[in-house]
Amino acid sequence: MSITVIGAGLSGLSSAFHLSRRFPNSRIVVLERQAKLGGWVNSTRTNQVLLEGGPRTLRPNGKSVLELINLLNLQDQLVTVQKSAPAAKARYLYIPPSSSSPFALQGLQKIPATPKEFLTSPLTRLLIPSILREAFTTSNRPKGATDESFDALFSRRFGAEFARIFGSALVHGIYASDSRKLSVKSAFPSIWQLEDAGRGSITRGAVKEMLFKSKPKPEDEYNLGDLPKLMQGVSVYSFKNGMQTLTDALHAALVRQPNVTIIPNAPVNSISKIQPDTFQITHSGSQTHYTTHLVSSIPPQSLKHILRPSPYLSLPPHTTPLMLANPQSSVQVVNLVFPCAPKHIHPQGFGYLVPRPLEDYSSWTTKHKHGVLGMVFDSCSLHAQDAGGDNMTPEEYYDNGKWTKVTVMLGGPYGFPSSGSALSDGTGDVLPRELEGLLDTLSVHLGRPLPKPVQWKVWNNYECIPTLLPGHLERVEELRRCVEGRGKGKERTGITLVGAGVDGVSVPDVVKSGRRAAYAL
């Protein structure tokens, strides 16, 4: 048996790693179109400050990632944020001024996290009535509904304004998407399940879960070592040298395996099944490669363009719409480094998200230019990654740190910033006009003038996050029947689909997706 993995992002690397462990005597080839492996995971250190272009923190409930950390011996590289830390307890919303909002909320608002904050927060005027009303509203899910948009569910349960302010902001932060388009059952399955558990009420379902907590599932499925103990009391974590620590370690582990070959700069041009048990893959222009099994970690849209029909692989006509169903969001990530302690830049906490505007997204960017999805206060949670930070507590660094590092996310449903091509990396006293405009916007959000940054780095992540539209789970099930040959009476084709486009966008999701590939063959 020979196995070829298409794509060397997190799901592709996870696939190859677990396949190499399960099939140590099989030939495994990884083809990656770029020179760099790791996909959207990008970490770089400049001027003693670590900057991230993709995911930056992880939650300890992702067992698939904890298993990799254990197997790759990365425990000593961890940077953890305790649940008691300010970055874990303080999160904010920035609500743009609007005379149309019935609650007249605006500005930077701390999301209440304690009983005292619930009593004093301006957000309480919206939160408490919405939650109480939801708890005492009978089931109103449309009859026969098997899925709906995140906004539709939140609107019918909590009200339209609650859904716009809290729901859309959450979706902006995770999916960089319009909550009116995103499938709640695919993107937030626990919320759909809570509504079921509460007999129509998410609030009642959440209370029931707290009172009658089910026993945790056994850990035997994952090789976690002592990581569950290390992660007790941890809110989020990362690595001393950033998230790329994980992908670099996977790459190094694969290179050490004699049965694994990694070929970078190898874009795949076509895939054809030329025999019942043989695929022919052309890559890098005209090079030809043969394999018995294929694991595709690239987006289904990309696979559609290179997968050729043949007498040995005939796909039904409805396969194409299934592969093209989900659009993809593009996000511009801007790292800013200021030469002062964080207390001079922002409040203490994790960061803030911005809800959907009352007007449509395109009208907003026409008037305001920047479509900001949110900002992460990196120096509050990840100060240990930067020079001098590892010897200071979060509180000490907030007051006396040498640098303030923040990350701004733009684009998504607003469209990719029109100035994206003009805004590029830089240092020094002369700021590009596009950066000055962004800083003006952020100054309004934070309610204070901002000094000039000493460094800025721009990551243009085109089509980096799929928007899972309602019905996604059913479409993926059908797509796997068509492409993989899964289902009763189906003959397996030798293809396995993994990655964010089919199994979820979070880091644990894509790592788990790749892990599952090893057990699907």
Side-chain angles (χ1 to χ4, degrees):
M1 180 172 71
S2 60
I3 309 163
T4 298
V5 179
I6 309 296
L10 255 176
S11 58
L13 291 174
S14 173
S15 299
F17 177 76
H18 287 292
L19 284 165
S20 69
R21 287 169 56 82
R22 188 173 182 218
F23 303 106
N25 298 318
S26 295
R27 184 172 66 108
I28 299 170
V29 175
V30 182
L31 300 175
E32 167 55 42
R33 66 184 178 89
Q34 299 185 59
K36 173 191 167 297
L37 278 59
W40 302 113
V41 177
N42 286 290
S43 311
T44 185
R45 187 178 295 280
T46 55
N47 292 338
Q48 300 180 310
V49 176
L50 185 88
L51 304 176
E52 295 275 22
R56 62 205 58 248
T57 57
L58 298 161
R59 291 194 176 277
N61 58 353
K63 296 176 185 176
S64 60
V65 181
L66 295 181
E67 180 179 55
L68 285 185
I69 293 170
N70 180 50
L71 295 175
L72 296 168
N73 297 312
L74 299 177
Q75 290 89 335
D76 62 342
Q77 296 299 309
L78 292 172
V79 172
T80 60
V81 179
Q82 297 300 306
K83 292 179 180 178
S84 58
K89 297 189 294 184
R91 296 168 187 264
Y92 297 83
L93 291 176
Y94 173 75
I95 305 176
S98 172
S99 58
S100 303
S101 171
F103 293 92
L105 294 168
Q106 64 181 55
L108 200 65
Q109 303 288 343
K110 185 176 184 291
I111 300 173
T114 66
K116 182 180 178 181
E117 290 175 352
F118 267 97
L119 293 175
T120 58
S121 170
L123 292 173
T124 298
R125 301 199 305 272
L126 176 56
L127 276 169
I128 298 299
S130 299
I131 293 172
L132 288 175
R133 184 170 58 248
E134 197 278 338
F136 292 100
T137 298
T138 59
S139 176
N140 59 357
R141 181 184 291 176
K143 188 176 180 180
T146 58
D147 197 0
E148 62 186 315
S149 75
F150 186 89
D151 185 79
L153 184 145
F154 262 49
S155 292
R156 65 176 172 79
R157 294 307 307 172
F158 296 99
E161 190 70 354
F162 184 101
R164 184 182 70 85
I165 291 179
F166 293 99
S168 69
L170 177 63
V171 170
H172 281 173
I174 300 175
Y175 287 88
S177 180
D178 185 343
S179 61
R180 295 167 296 187
K181 298 179 179 179
L182 187 72
S183 159
V184 66
K185 193 174 181 181
S186 301
F188 298 94
S190 60
I191 293 177
W192 185 268
Q193 292 160 10
L194 286 176
E195 188 182 18
D196 286 337
R199 296 185 178 181
S201 168
I202 297 169
T203 304
R204 294 196 301 266
V207 171
K208 182 179 178 181
E209 187 178 79
M210 285 189 291
L211 293 177
F212 305 101
K213 224 172 210 182
S214 58
K215 292 182 180 180
K217 294 179 181 179
E219 308 283 4
D220 297 343
E221 183 184 355
Y222 292 92
N223 186 352
L224 303 180
D226 61 352
L227 278 163
K229 184 177 179 180
L230 290 176
M231 289 296 167
Q232 288 181 3
V234 171
S235 173
V236 295
Y237 69 94
S238 184
F239 303 91
K240 294 175 183 177
N241 290 306
M243 291 292 295
Q244 199 170 312
T245 299
L246 185 60
T247 53
D248 286 349
L250 280 169
H251 182 192
L254 290 171
V255 168
R256 291 193 295 269
Q257 297 299 317
N259 64 321
V260 177
T261 301
I262 300 174
I263 307 177
N265 295 311
V268 175
N269 309 118
S270 68
I271 301 170
S272 301
K273 194 171 188 183
I274 59 172
Q275 294 292 335
D277 62 351
T278 305
F279 291 92
Q280 177 181 286
I281 302 172
T282 61
H283 64 87
S284 310
S286 59
Q287 294 190 44
T288 304
H289 172 73
Y290 299 93
T291 190
T292 62
H293 292 78
L294 179 71
V295 176
S296 173
S297 72
I298 61 178
Q301 296 95 323
S302 301
L303 179 62
K304 183 263 175 189
H305 294 300
I306 58 176
L307 191 59
R308 305 286 183 256
S310 77
Y312 301 100
L313 182 64
S314 181
L315 303 180
H318 67 284
T319 306
T320 293
L322 292 172
M323 297 175 108
L324 301 178
N326 292 329
Q328 294 173 292
S329 286
S330 298
V331 182
Q332 187 175 70
V333 175
V334 182
N335 306 131
L336 299 171
V337 180
F338 298 96
C340 57
K343 67 179 181 181
H344 300 297
I345 302 297
H346 55 68
Q348 200 165 14
F350 188 81
Y352 69 87
L353 294 171
V354 184
R356 182 181 76 241
L358 282 167
E359 60 264 59
D360 63 71
Y361 285 104
S362 59
S363 296
W364 176 266
T365 52
T366 298
K367 287 193 297 184
H368 302 276
K369 189 175 181 181
H370 294 101
V372 177
L373 300 169
M375 175 191 283
V376 179
F377 304 156
D378 295 303
S379 292
C380 276
S381 56
L382 299 175
H383 65 281
Q385 293 176 331
D386 302 330
D390 55 343
N391 296 318
M392 304 173 77
T393 67
E395 292 80 6
E396 289 171 341
Y397 196 89
Y398 181 74
D399 290 331
N400 304 302
K402 184 178 180 181
W403 312 102
T404 297
K405 176 176 65 177
V406 299
T407 300
V408 186
M409 288 77 67
L410 305 97
Y414 290 99
F416 202 75
S418 58
S419 61
S421 58
L423 184 57
S424 57
D425 304 347
T427 59
D429 292 330
V430 181
L431 304 183
R433 179 169 49 86
E434 293 79 9
L435 182 58
E436 288 182 340
L438 176 58
L439 290 171
D440 289 343
T441 297
L442 301 178
S443 294
V444 172
H445 289 185
L446 295 168
R448 63 183 80 183
L450 294 178
K452 289 183 179 179
V454 292
Q455 181 182 351
W456 55 96
K457 185 166 183 60
V458 181
W459 309 82
N460 293 318
N461 297 332
Y462 294 100
E463 298 186 340
C464 59
I465 307 176
T467 297
L468 312 178
L469 301 180
H472 172 73
L473 295 178
E474 291 77 12
R475 286 193 301 274
V476 167
E477 187 177 352
E478 179 61 20
L479 180 62
R480 285 193 156 127
R481 276 198 291 265
C482 295
V483 176
E484 298 183 352
R486 292 183 181 272
K488 188 175 181 180
K490 290 275 190 178
E491 183 178 350
R492 296 297 299 274
T493 65
I495 301 175
T496 302
L497 303 177
V498 303
V502 289
D503 288 327
V505 307
S506 73
V507 171
D509 282 343
V510 296
V511 170
K512 184 178 180 179
S513 179
R515 184 185 190 273
R516 192 183 297 120
Y519 297 91
L521 297 183

